[in-house]
Amino acid sequence: MADLPTGTVTFLFTDIEGSTRLLHERGREAYRMLLDEHRRLLRAAFEAANGVEIDTQGDAFFVAFPRARMAVAAAAAAQRELAALGEVKVRMGIHTGEAELADGRYVGLAVVRAQRICSAARGGQVLLSTTTRDVVEDDLPAGVRLRELGRIRLKDLERRELLFQLDIDGLPTSFPRRKAAPQGRRWWLTALAVAAVAALALGSAALISRQDGSPSGLTRVDVNAVGVIDAERNALVDQVTVGLRPTRIAAEPHGLWVVNEGDGTVSRVNAQTLAVTRTISTPGSTLDVAASADAVWVVGQQRRGNAGKGTALVYRIAPADALVTNTTVIPSLALQGIIVTNVATVGQSVWVSGGLEVVRLRPATGAIAEPPVWEGGASDLAADQSSLWIAQGAEDEVDAGRATRIDEATGTVTVTVPVGNGTPHVALGYGAAWIGIEGSVKRLDATSGVTMATIPIDGIVSDITVGADAVWAADSSNGTVLRIDPKTNEVVETIRLGNRPDGIAALDGKVYVTVY
């Protein structure tokens, strides 16, 4: 990799709109060739404008430029080339800010803002922050102009962002307004970046406070911690500090396992003492975890520069001694257009999602069982003894997210149900598939997929679990955990965390929620 620009840097993010739909329309081989050509065109445009490719996965790029004008020129050139290609619609977001480096990687609010701006764009559209506009408005490349779009709310950022569109001669300039929906867990959002957002939102106040009248006195869960909720009292009772930016969490008889995306580790937590008894490092980013009595399965994304770039690594861990017993490499083809990599397990069945397919692993060895059980993206997986449920997010506002049931014995799809816009998460229990999404939790019959209830909520579900005599949903937009009574299909309790939750799990009458 070339030397990283320092000081004031302009960040450019890109990804393909409707990549999963394009895959199904074109077929795997034709889509792969189209994706390769898309990459070639973008890299040529970036290189010509002195851009440094920071990282790429699937259909997404993260590029840094020493000057804002170079980023704008690269975006315009790339969109012209893509328009000639005709079949790929790429959204782009550009922001200029002070570069922060940690361990040779960019971190901080500037990175977060650039990615969120990209998420707000439509295919073929280039959006710029006000900062970038201020730098380039008197030095624009030939054939491009700026158009003010107004203020738009971006995920994770408190204030609305005034955005500008790059109008490129000869290309479309009219795009539907896009709501910046929650995205899957992306490799470039490091712990320091997201923690910076949380810190600004909360100010410099202490993150732990206690007050009289609360059952335990605990009224806020610290950042980079796991909060403990007593299901009998519906109250926070304790917390345990883990690694940087804890996200996914899984429970098994020996305790809890927490993914720390920010530092690429997995923490093992003793549920009785709330002590971190083991921290396991992985050679790449760590994304998801699932557990059974026999094994713990951790999925990570191998970092750029390692052998086998673009692969997922699946680790099998013996829960009793926390030792890695097997490592499975999932090829790059499984990760094209990656949204999120995740894992689900029950008994002797293990499934891993890699963005464009779901594969089944042989639990004893971790070897991939062919063929894939599902070809398509997945935002979450859940499994029981008879079925695998796959949640798939909407790619734009005209599509709906979906939940698909696959029969465990035959590996065939039995039902697909639309569940609404956003990024759905799924849990199984009480004879139902519970789908948490923006604005609601849906209860689907676990066999037929028929919607049995729609429970409205004023928030966005980041994870959902079943246990401790209830259904529990982590609401990332309001910093709460919702308790849903499966008998009445109503939210009966709201537990406030004071910070943003991500993952949630239940074990022995307690509910555990990660906070970042």
Side-chain angles (χ1 to χ4, degrees):
M1 181 186 292
D3 291 340
L4 297 180
T6 58
T8 301
V9 176
T10 298
F11 299 110
L12 168 65
F13 282 84
T14 80
D15 67 10
I16 295 176
E17 182 178 62
S19 57
T20 301
R21 184 169 59 249
L22 191 60
L23 166 69
H24 289 302
E25 290 174 353
R26 294 296 305 274
R28 295 187 65 82
E29 184 59 26
Y31 178 73
R32 183 190 63 78
M33 296 174 63
L34 192 62
L35 199 62
D36 287 345
E37 180 63 8
H38 144 269
R39 292 194 188 110
R40 185 189 68 80
L41 294 175
L42 288 186
R43 284 181 170 134
F46 301 153
E47 184 177 354
N50 295 321
V52 179
E53 183 182 320
I54 306 304
D55 217 334
T56 181
Q57 291 193 22
D59 63 0
F61 279 93
F62 175 21
V63 186
F65 295 82
R67 294 185 58 195
R69 187 184 190 278
M70 296 173 179
V72 170
Q79 291 291 14
R80 289 190 180 105
E81 293 293 331
L82 291 167
L85 186 60
E87 297 181 80
V88 177
K89 304 296 183 184
V90 175
R91 50 181 168 242
M92 301 183 181
I94 303 175
H95 174 61
T96 303
E98 290 297 316
E100 300 177 43
L101 287 170
D103 297 325
R105 304 176 73 185
Y106 288 117
V107 298
L109 277 173
V111 177
V112 175
R113 183 166 279 110
Q115 194 276 328
R116 296 313 188 202
I117 292 171
C118 176
S119 297
R122 300 305 296 256
Q125 187 179 35
V126 182
L127 296 182
L128 283 68
S129 69
T130 302
T131 307
T132 303
R133 186 282 310 264
D134 291 345
V135 175
V136 302
E137 63 178 339
D138 295 325
D139 190 26
L140 289 169
V144 300
R145 296 165 307 283
L146 293 173
R147 177 188 304 187
E148 183 176 324
L149 296 183
R151 295 188 179 275
I152 297 174
R153 176 78 68 185
L154 302 179
K155 182 177 181 286
D156 288 331
L157 303 181
E158 289 299 316
R159 70 175 188 272
R160 292 182 178 273
E161 185 81 17
L162 180 60
L163 298 183
F164 296 82
Q165 177 179 296
L166 194 68
D167 285 353
I168 305 168
D169 286 353
L171 300 185
T173 58
S174 179
F175 301 91
R177 176 63 67 90
R178 179 183 179 86
K179 180 179 180 181
Q183 302 295 304
R185 295 186 296 282
R186 287 283 192 175
W187 41 272
W188 51 68
L189 287 181
T190 65
L192 293 178
V194 179
V197 177
L200 287 180
L202 293 169
S204 59
L207 297 176
I208 294 285
S209 62
R210 298 182 180 273
Q211 64 180 25
D212 294 337
S214 171
S216 67
L218 186 65
T219 61
R220 187 181 294 273
V221 180
D222 199 356
V223 176
N224 298 326
V226 175
V228 185
I229 296 171
D230 186 306
E232 184 175 349
R233 292 186 281 174
N234 294 308
L236 283 172
V237 293
D238 215 330
Q239 67 170 345
V240 55
T241 300
V242 285
L244 292 176
R245 195 174 185 258
T247 52
R248 302 292 92 180
I249 183 170
E252 47 87 11
H254 295 85
L256 305 163
W257 295 79
V258 181
V259 163
N260 305 302
E261 281 196 16
D263 53 22
T265 64
V266 182
S267 298
R268 175 188 174 186
V269 179
N270 184 303
Q272 281 69 49
T273 65
L274 292 185
V276 175
T277 60
R278 183 74 184 272
T279 299
I280 300 174
S281 297
T282 65
S285 58
T286 310
L287 299 176
D288 200 13
V289 61
S292 67
D294 301 324
V296 177
W297 298 85
V298 176
V299 177
Q301 176 69 29
Q302 201 162 30
R303 288 195 182 112
R304 176 180 173 83
N306 292 344
K309 166 180 169 276
T311 60
L313 300 177
V314 184
Y315 305 93
R316 184 186 190 276
I317 300 172
D321 53 16
L323 295 178
V324 176
T325 59
N326 297 98
T327 301
T328 303
V329 177
I330 298 194
S332 59
L333 182 61
L335 296 174
Q336 305 295 349
I338 186 170
I339 300 171
V340 59
T341 303
N342 46 42
V343 60
T345 179
V346 59
Q348 295 301 304
S349 296
V350 181
W351 293 268
V352 176
S353 161
L356 288 185
E357 63 185 21
V358 176
V359 298
R360 187 170 185 169
L361 304 185
R362 304 185 189 283
T365 64
I368 300 173
E370 298 290 349
V373 298
W374 168 258
E375 293 189 358
S379 57
D380 200 11
L381 305 174
D384 59 18
Q385 297 297 336
S386 62
S387 62
L388 166 69
W389 279 83
I390 300 171
Q392 184 177 14
E395 295 220 355
D396 55 44
E397 292 177 342
V398 299
D399 290 338
R402 293 172 290 176
T404 297
R405 181 187 185 274
I406 293 179
D407 184 83
E408 195 274 342
T410 64
T412 57
V413 174
T414 62
V415 66
T416 296
V417 183
V419 295
N421 291 337
T423 304
H425 296 272
V426 57
L428 300 177
Y430 300 103
W434 300 85
I435 309 296
I437 201 164
E438 181 174 358
S440 71
V441 172
K442 296 181 182 294
R443 179 176 186 165
L444 311 181
D445 182 86
T447 302
S448 67
V450 172
T451 300
M452 303 167 66
T454 297
I455 304 159
I457 65 169
D458 183 23
I460 300 171
V461 175
S462 62
D463 199 12
I464 191 166
T465 193
V466 175
D469 298 322
V471 178
W472 305 84
D475 180 351
S476 61
S477 61
N478 292 313
T480 60
V481 169
L482 307 178
R483 178 175 183 152
I484 298 171
D485 188 337
K487 297 178 182 178
T488 63
N489 296 321
E490 295 179 340
V491 176
V492 292
E493 294 288 345
T494 299
I495 297 103
R496 301 195 177 280
L497 305 174
N499 278 307
R500 181 180 292 113
D502 192 283
I504 193 166
L507 178 66
D508 295 336
K510 299 289 194 303
V511 177
Y512 301 87
V513 56
T514 60
V515 169
Y516 64 89

